[in-house]
Amino acid sequence: MRKMFLAIFAALAFGGAALAENYPSHPITIIVPFAAGGPSDAMARILAERMKVTLGEAVLIENVTGAGGSIGVGRAVRSPPDGYSISFGHLGTHVANGAVYKLGYDLVADLEPVVLLPSNPMIIVSKNDVPAKSLKELLGWLKARPSPPTAGTAGAGSGSHIAGLYFENVARIKLQYVPYRGTAPAMNDLVAGQIDIIVDQTSNSIAQVRAGTIRAYAVTDDKRVASAPEVPTVDEAGMPGFHMTLWSGLWVPKGTPKEIVARLNAATVEALSDPAVRKQLENLGLQMPPKDKQSPEALGAWQKAEIAKWWPMIKAADVKVD
Ligand code: MLT
């Protein structure tokens, strides 16, 4: 407690540099904007376990869900810029949501990029009682439905929703989206046969695919996923070019001292280069970001480039949110 007050006093008296000097002096929280047990939560927890070693303080996970992840990101944006609240997010929450919601915050102006995290291709999966053994058969079955087939998502603007919109476009089908607070609860309903498909993150589906409780048709990449070599690529399965990789990242509130951003970046980069951590992440089908893309500036530039790329498609889809 005394250490924390000293840190706050120093920060008030001497500004960011002093704040950074005593950082961290108490536990740090990563705000995950989706349900526990899902792909974002799983990655955040694996990294937090290793980051605490470097930072010397506990790194806690708080799941703040809803509205495609925009509620959790909003919580981080409104947190003090002192390095103790970190926003975990991805292509959905830190790119797509800006084209879907009136957010009340700016994804670029109100957040400081910290580090690009691993990515994974999406995977097209269905409930087991769909009478299709290949992607072509699945497309035939989806098109023959009297009413739009149901697709589970983590809410409008989430990765699984953007992937669904892209799938609709390329496959020329209509889907009925069923929103959940994350793809973990959506997966429970897919296994139970309550919904028809998910265009999911490989890291979320891989365990169920291996267990045979759901059916996989293709990964949205031009190369197979090392940890699921039996699943063909969309190019092999008859949807050439339907490529989508969902990347994640960490951000902090704008105004967080750059020394603290550098500490958090270093702790994450160290975690990502730890062989035990890499093994856990690669086993989930996750691909490590290239070394030269792991700086805060690289994430900032990549986020802006993805905004320019994805907003036109998302805005054209005219997504209705309450
Ligand atoms: C999750 O963790 O549930 C996902 O990241 C949600 C999504 O964006 O599809």
Side-chain angles (χ1 to χ4, degrees):
M1 191 58 91
R2 193 173 169 297
K3 249 170 77 174
M4 187 166 81
F5 280 117
L6 269 180
I8 293 171
F9 169 74
L12 294 172
F14 307 103
L19 187 66
E21 217 167 285
N22 298 295
Y23 179 84
S25 60
H26 56 88
I28 296 163
T29 299
I30 298 180
I31 300 171
V32 173
F34 296 108
S40 300
D41 184 69
M43 190 193 314
R45 287 177 194 276
I46 290 169
L47 292 171
E49 265 314 290
R50 182 59 180 76
M51 289 169 72
K52 76 179 185 194
V53 177
T54 310
L55 294 164
E57 278 289 346
V59 180
L60 314 173
I61 302 294
E62 187 183 356
N63 301 88
V64 180
T65 66
S70 62
I71 293 175
V73 176
R75 167 81 67 80
V77 166
R78 290 186 299 278
S79 300
D82 57 9
Y84 292 101
S85 301
I86 301 174
S87 174
F88 182 105
H90 56 40
L91 170 61
T93 56
H94 287 68
V95 171
N97 280 352
V100 169
Y101 298 94
K102 290 193 177 46
L103 289 173
Y105 53 83
D106 183 295
L107 290 168
V108 174
D110 297 330
L111 287 161
E112 200 66 60
V114 174
V115 65
L116 180 64
L117 296 178
S119 62
N120 60 156
M122 308 305 277
I123 188 168
I124 303 164
V125 291
S126 81
K127 61 185 179 183
N128 263 344
D129 58 17
V130 166
K133 291 271 181 297
S134 69
L135 184 57
K136 285 203 173 101
E137 289 176 12
L138 175 71
L139 292 171
W141 182 82
L142 291 170
K143 287 179 180 157
R145 296 297 86 221
S147 57
T150 53
T153 76
S158 66
S160 42
H161 177 234
I162 302 307
L165 289 175
Y166 190 16
F167 184 53
E168 279 187 300
N169 269 356
V170 177
R172 300 187 184 295
I173 57 171
K174 219 56 218 112
L175 295 172
Q176 172 67 46
Y177 293 108
V178 182
Y180 296 81
R181 287 179 172 271
T183 43
M187 182 55 70
N188 296 341
D189 273 5
L190 189 73
V191 170
Q194 301 297 316
I195 53 176
D196 298 322
I197 68 166
I198 304 177
V199 186
D200 193 16
Q201 289 180 64
T202 303
S203 57
N204 190 51
S205 283
I206 206 162
Q208 302 295 344
V209 172
R210 287 181 185 139
T213 52
I214 61 171
R215 189 163 303 147
Y217 298 89
V219 291
T220 61
D221 205 347
D222 57 6
K223 56 188 179 312
R224 294 190 179 205
V225 170
S227 52
E230 73 283 6
V231 183
T233 67
V234 284
D235 300 348
E236 294 166 320
M239 273 183 91
F242 176 47
H243 297 161
M244 179 178 171
T245 292
L246 193 121
W247 52 271
S248 294
L250 295 178
W251 289 258
V252 286
K254 190 61 94 175
T256 301
K258 60 183 183 326
E259 299 88 351
I260 292 180
V261 172
R263 292 284 320 268
L264 289 170
N265 176 278
T268 318
V269 168
E270 192 177 315
L272 289 173
S273 50
D274 179 314
V277 170
R278 291 173 81 94
K279 194 157 178 299
Q280 284 178 284
L281 296 172
E282 284 163 355
N283 188 38
L284 290 173
L286 289 157
Q287 295 148 357
M288 298 305 123
K291 271 265 173 246
D292 65 344
K293 291 273 186 296
Q294 294 183 9
S295 69
E297 297 72 25
L299 174 58
W302 176 242
Q303 184 187 14
K304 289 185 185 128
E306 289 281 272
I307 286 172
K309 173 182 170 190
W310 286 95
W311 278 17
M313 186 220 41
I314 299 165
K315 289 189 173 175
D318 192 23
V319 177
K320 297 279 176 292
V321 288
D322 308 331

